[in-house]
Amino acid sequence: MKDLVQPTIPNSQVQIAHVQDFAETWTPQHVLSWAFQTFGRNVAISSAFGAEGMVLIDMASRINRDFRLFTIDTEFLFPETYNLMDRIEEKYGISIERAYSALSPEEQQRAHGEALWSHNPDLCCNLRKVEPLRRKLGELSAWITSIRRDQTSVRSAAKRVEWDAKFGLVKVNPIVDWNSKQVWRYIHDHDVPYNALHDQDYPSIGCTHCTRAVRPGEDPRAGRWPGFNKTECGLHIIEPAAAAAECGD
Ligand code: SF4
């Protein structure tokens, strides 16, 4: 890994091209080490504190006690999610960086009407997730996500290390080839804290307005934006399309 450490911080597809193939053979821990060595304080984990995100946070804490972690706080999260954030800060001794929409929930209601999520969830996700993320990523040279290829069709081509053309920085996906079983095995083997809603049939957790429990046999993401043909909030889709695709969570 030492030979692969960059003399300067990579800032284009060309500059990460030679690392990409090697990275596909690395363990998640190796990918994280490479990211921390290469980008220093200019890389941060992005998380909405789903099961996958908790795995990454725990792994990172064993490699670099001083890692950066941020979340997009839509101000519509479940109490269980805010409670988990408190537990993370206490257990790992870090302070979670929180990015907010430029509009408070009240300002959004005045500007776009009541319950925007119920009639235009793409606009709501843009205002509360995508734009805050864009601002946050403007501070960074790379971000680390916990997406998995088998979660949605949009994520199926993701690589461990890739150039994020949408936001203009390097994107690192250490557990991109893991499945749900591996995630939960890690959580139980390492006694990792997780969102209490996972034990109440919420495999994927976002905002209160757009998340419900799933029924037996349903797709794990069926509880996200029920009633809409939408599976993502726009954080991980390649094109800045108006109609969104997913969320980091
Ligand atoms: S998940 Fe729902 S409430 Fe949250 S930002 Fe998107 S549309 Fe709005």
Side-chain angles (χ1 to χ4, degrees):
M1 184 174 69
K2 218 166 185 178
D3 335 338
L4 294 172
V5 173
Q6 306 292 314
T8 54
I9 290 180
N11 62 3
S12 69
Q13 169 61 47
V14 174
Q15 290 182 16
I16 58 158
H18 74 291
V19 178
Q20 278 188 307
D21 290 343
F22 288 113
E24 289 303 308
T25 67
W26 294 346
T27 63
Q29 288 87 347
H30 192 152
V31 176
L32 281 170
S33 297
W34 172 81
F36 292 141
Q37 285 180 28
T38 304
F39 299 102
R41 296 292 293 168
N42 291 314
V43 63
I45 294 177
S46 166
S47 184
F49 314 111
E52 291 80 5
M54 292 313 305
V55 167
L56 269 194
I57 291 165
D58 189 82
M59 275 183 188
S61 74
R62 294 165 193 267
I63 296 167
N64 172 12
R65 295 292 304 175
D66 194 29
F67 68 98
R68 289 181 66 184
L69 169 64
F70 74 89
T71 193
I72 309 299
D73 186 348
T74 61
E75 302 177 79
F76 295 143
L77 304 180
F78 286 89
E80 289 85 347
T81 305
Y82 290 114
N83 173 273
L84 178 60
M85 288 163 71
D86 292 343
R87 287 189 284 147
I88 290 166
E89 290 187 323
E90 191 179 333
K91 178 176 170 78
Y92 297 107
I94 54 168
S95 179
I96 299 170
E97 301 169 30
R98 300 167 199 229
Y100 296 95
S101 171
L103 295 180
S104 69
E106 295 75 24
E107 288 168 336
Q108 176 170 305
Q109 182 168 329
R110 279 197 291 277
H112 299 285
E114 205 169 325
L116 181 60
W117 52 87
S118 68
H119 53 93
N120 193 342
D122 289 335
L123 177 57
C124 188
C125 277
N126 253 316
L127 293 168
R128 310 215 71 78
K129 291 184 172 184
V130 180
E131 285 314 312
L133 179 73
R134 191 182 296 283
R135 264 186 280 118
K136 188 68 191 174
L137 295 185
E139 300 172 10
L140 301 171
S141 301
W143 63 312
I144 302 172
T145 88
S146 57
I147 60 169
R148 293 191 286 111
R149 288 186 187 124
D150 66 1
Q151 285 171 319
T152 69
S153 58
V154 169
R155 301 179 188 195
S156 62
K159 291 179 176 296
R160 279 205 163 88
V161 175
E162 59 190 7
W163 179 248
D164 186 336
K166 179 175 177 180
F167 294 113
L169 78 173
V170 174
K171 185 174 181 182
V172 182
N173 308 310
I175 58 168
V176 74
D177 60 340
W178 277 31
N179 58 38
S180 177
K181 214 177 234 178
Q182 289 171 288
V183 168
W184 282 101
R185 191 181 309 133
Y186 184 98
I187 286 176
H188 293 311
D189 287 353
H190 297 84
D191 198 21
V192 178
Y194 62 87
N195 196 314
L197 290 173
H198 287 315
D199 292 332
Q200 297 167 45
D201 298 320
Y202 286 80
S204 178
I205 303 162
C207 297
T208 54
H209 303 303
C210 302
T211 310
R212 65 158 171 80
V214 299
R215 292 180 280 272
E218 277 189 324
D219 183 274
R221 288 185 75 87
R224 304 297 299 278
W225 300 283
F228 288 92
N229 182 21
K230 176 176 169 72
T231 57
E232 307 245 5
C233 62
L235 306 191
H236 299 288
I237 51 174
I238 294 166
E239 293 302 322
E246 77 173 81
C247 295
D249 47 295

